[in-house]
Amino acid sequence: MPTVVLMDVSLSMTRPVSLEGNEDFQRKNLAVHGLNMLFEHMASNYRLEFTALMAFSSLWELLVPFTRDYNALQEALSNLDDYDKTCVESALQGVNSVVQQEWGNACPCQVVLVTDGSLGIGKGSLRHSLQTLNHRGDAKKFPLPFPFPTKLYIMCVANAEELQMSDTMNNLEELLRLSGGDGQIFTVDGALCMKSVQAMFGRLIDHAYSPFHAVLHCGNLSSDVQVFPRPEPVIIDEEVEPIPQSVNADLKIVGFIEITDICSPPVISRHLVLPIAVNKEMDDVGAGTTEELEEEPSASQMAGKSPNFCVLLHGSLKVEGMVALVQLGAEWYGMLYSQADSKKKSNLMMSIFEPGSEPLPWLGKISHLGPISEATENPYGEDDNKSPFPLQPQVKRSYAQTVTVWIKASGLQELNRLRKAALAFGFWELLKGVADLLERECTLLPDSAHPDAAFQLSHAAQQLKLASTGDSQYAAFDHNIVPMHTDFSS
């Protein structure tokens, strides 16, 4: 998911910090050092991530729009100017504007707010913004929560003791709560220095920017892969308490199926699946310093010269027009497939289904699927002219009738059944909606339709509208709508 880095450049960030060697640094210098560490990590492990850099004091400025060029981000950090007081509310309004303009409201976004914990002074300060939160009109509404899914990470270039001496920590926690609570506040452990700030940003990297490495298995074949972006844990709603469920590091392919059978299923998220090279002599994937990479061939160069199951799978799925069903955990599945960005470029993608044994009803239970060779006859036919899907439900649904009959000798049975159900649940809007549909059908009747059809449709619509008003005369539960008496015999 894209990231917005929000850098505080107010005067409080210029406060000096005494380091060893009698060399004075500003808090801003420590923050820049930590962000450079973050950008270097993302350039190596999260190079597909889009990142934007913004600076703020009483106003905000977009220094670098969303980009994958981390050199440009680091260069902008080295040219930061100092401005006036802190105004977090203005900065958050800027984040809202920048993200919605680039990604809209549906794309999740991570916001990294880097500050020294200073709340600002007077009107426009975070303290003032939170105190006036419930006394605002819609025109001056506080920007949190954002209209798009957000994770807010607050990086304080200050230790917890310093923040707790005032109400700073309480205000930052309230800010985090307003954002949705899906984030964290990071503070410096111990004295302010390069190492302590570096350790703080290291905790952020471990929490939010650690790459997801997995092993993709298919029978006796396997491949080390990176799944990007990192799959988020899914909360399973249970009666007792919510249970978070995470994707396993072992991804097991359980079978293959035609694209036409799986169609376009509902999914939680979509991810790139990238092959990675593992250095057998080291524990870390892709580990090594810049000097070592200059002396030896890079991991990507070595990977390009060796066979890889992930590449074989991608090519096979693309040519055969199939998808691979992959098990992500206990009764949790997804699918691997080839998706083309252009005529010449395609990627291996993984879509994650909702947890459960039957995420796609038309396929039935995934565990009940088996190879064609075990079937008594080919379910696709000898000439591939049929499909066993969708599976027919064992129980015939009440709404799955081949013919709907509105008028019978005893009256408008189905219409009265619908009316009573809506009244029982207090769903009066349903009655109004069905009445609108009947009126529309009345206007679409062909010239060859019997004249009685228009009268009966209009009559039924009128009766439903009267019932939707809640009037005791027409909304009585035992009342039945009877057909309009007409006579076209003469």
Side-chain angles (χ1 to χ4, degrees):
M1 62 184 76
T3 297
V4 178
V5 175
L6 202 54
M7 177 67 179
D8 186 352
V9 291
S10 62
L11 289 176
S12 62
M13 289 288 286
T14 63
R15 287 181 290 168
V17 178
S18 296
L19 302 178
E20 296 179 0
N22 297 324
E23 187 177 3
D24 288 339
F25 278 85
Q26 298 176 352
R27 298 193 182 219
K28 182 179 73 172
N29 302 132
L30 298 180
V32 168
H33 174 72
L35 283 176
N36 277 324
M37 172 186 168
L38 174 63
F39 290 154
E40 287 171 4
H41 170 82
M42 294 175 73
S44 300
N45 300 281
Y46 259 65
R47 68 186 72 181
L48 297 177
E49 185 75 276
F50 282 97
T51 306
L53 178 62
M54 297 174 61
F56 76 97
S57 55
S58 61
L59 302 174
W60 63 271
E61 178 184 2
L62 179 62
L63 300 178
V64 181
F66 285 101
T67 181
R68 290 172 174 167
D69 185 357
Y70 289 96
N71 291 328
L73 292 165
Q74 290 178 302
E75 183 179 352
L77 279 178
S78 63
N79 297 319
L80 290 176
D81 293 324
D82 302 323
Y83 293 93
D84 52 359
K85 68 175 185 177
T86 305
C87 183
V88 176
E89 180 176 350
S90 172
L92 295 176
Q93 289 173 345
V95 171
N96 190 16
S97 174
V98 169
V99 173
Q100 288 203 77
Q101 184 176 359
E102 184 74 23
W103 304 102
N105 292 342
C107 181
C109 185
Q110 297 187 127
V111 179
V112 180
L113 171 60
V114 184
T115 181
D116 61 340
S118 175
L119 303 181
I121 301 172
K123 188 176 181 180
S125 66
L126 181 59
R127 187 180 292 105
H128 179 268
S129 296
L130 296 178
Q131 288 174 350
T132 60
L133 200 62
N134 299 323
H135 308 285
R136 302 178 178 219
D138 292 337
K140 295 183 179 180
K141 189 178 179 182
F142 193 71
L144 293 181
F146 291 124
F148 47 86
T150 313
K151 287 187 177 182
L152 177 62
Y153 299 106
I154 303 175
M155 313 299 294
C156 290
V157 188
N159 54 45
E161 292 77 10
E162 181 182 348
L163 298 175
Q164 289 171 352
M165 291 174 62
S166 62
D167 61 345
T168 298
M169 184 59 78
N170 293 334
N171 284 277
L172 293 179
E173 289 175 349
E174 177 65 13
L175 188 70
L176 188 64
R177 186 191 67 81
L178 290 173
S179 71
D182 200 1
Q184 194 170 332
I185 300 174
F186 293 88
T187 58
V188 173
D189 292 336
L192 277 178
C193 62
M194 288 288 188
K195 289 185 178 179
S196 60
V197 171
Q198 187 172 341
M200 179 180 68
F201 276 88
R203 296 198 303 272
L204 171 67
I205 290 172
D206 292 339
H207 180 80
Y209 293 99
S210 57
F212 185 84
H213 292 148
V215 180
L216 181 61
H217 299 275
C218 182
N220 295 323
L221 300 175
S222 63
S223 175
D224 295 282
V225 297
Q226 177 180 351
V227 180
F228 181 87
R230 185 183 185 88
E232 297 292 330
V234 176
I235 303 297
I236 302 176
D237 293 328
E238 297 286 349
E239 293 183 0
V240 181
E241 59 180 351
I243 302 175
Q245 186 171 349
S246 301
V247 175
N248 287 344
D250 285 319
L251 307 177
K252 298 179 181 179
I253 295 177
V254 296
F256 300 88
I257 193 169
E258 299 278 352
I259 289 180
T260 53
D261 288 333
I262 208 160
C263 300
S264 181
V267 299
I268 298 176
S269 57
R270 296 179 178 87
H271 309 263
L272 276 170
V273 179
L274 307 170
I276 56 176
V278 179
N279 190 342
K280 300 299 182 182
E281 297 179 358
M282 304 188 68
D283 294 331
D284 296 331
V285 178
T289 63
T290 306
E291 295 179 357
E292 292 172 344
L293 293 177
E294 290 178 356
E295 296 175 358
E296 300 178 1
S298 66
S300 59
Q301 291 174 339
M302 295 293 292
K305 297 180 181 179
S306 58
N308 191 289
F309 166 65
C310 186
V311 177
L312 172 65
L313 176 67
H314 179 204
S316 302
L317 295 177
K318 182 179 179 180
V319 172
E320 297 295 332
M322 302 186 77
V323 303
L325 293 177
V326 58
Q327 186 167 10
L328 312 175
E331 292 193 342
W332 195 10
Y333 300 91
M335 67 176 183
L336 295 166
Y337 56 97
S338 175
Q339 178 172 306
D341 288 343
S342 61
K343 291 183 178 179
K344 295 184 178 180
K345 185 179 179 182
S346 62
N347 300 296
L348 183 62
M349 301 288 295
M350 180 173 74
S351 291
I352 296 178
F353 303 146
E354 288 280 356
S357 60
E358 197 174 350
L360 309 180
W362 60 92
L363 296 184
K365 288 188 176 182
I366 301 295
S367 58
H368 289 180
L369 298 176
I372 296 178
S373 58
E374 292 186 1
T376 54
E377 61 179 29
N378 191 341
Y380 289 91
E382 296 298 329
D383 301 324
D384 255 0
N385 55 358
K386 64 178 183 178
S387 172
F389 306 106
L391 296 180
Q392 297 299 320
Q394 296 180 354
V395 179
K396 194 172 185 180
R397 307 299 180 186
S398 61
Y399 51 81
Q401 302 295 330
T402 55
V403 178
T404 301
V405 179
W406 289 98
I407 299 179
K408 291 185 179 179
S410 58
L412 303 173
Q413 291 181 339
E414 293 297 327
L415 190 63
N416 283 313
R417 185 178 176 185
L418 177 80
R419 176 185 173 279
K420 288 186 176 182
L423 291 175
F425 288 107
F427 196 0
W428 294 343
E429 293 84 356
L430 175 62
L431 299 178
K432 175 102 171 34
V434 174
D436 293 339
L437 288 175
L438 294 178
E439 287 183 340
R440 183 176 181 275
E441 285 296 319
C442 186
T443 61
L444 297 177
L445 286 173
D447 295 337
S448 57
H450 194 281
D452 194 29
F455 286 101
Q456 297 297 346
L457 286 172
S458 298
H459 169 69
Q462 183 64 22
Q463 291 295 313
L464 289 178
K465 283 187 175 181
L466 290 173
S468 68
T469 62
D471 189 296
S472 59
Q473 180 181 355
Y474 300 99
F477 185 79
D478 294 331
H479 176 72
N480 284 322
I481 302 174
V482 297
M484 177 186 285
H485 178 70
T486 55
D487 185 6
F488 290 95
S489 59
S490 56

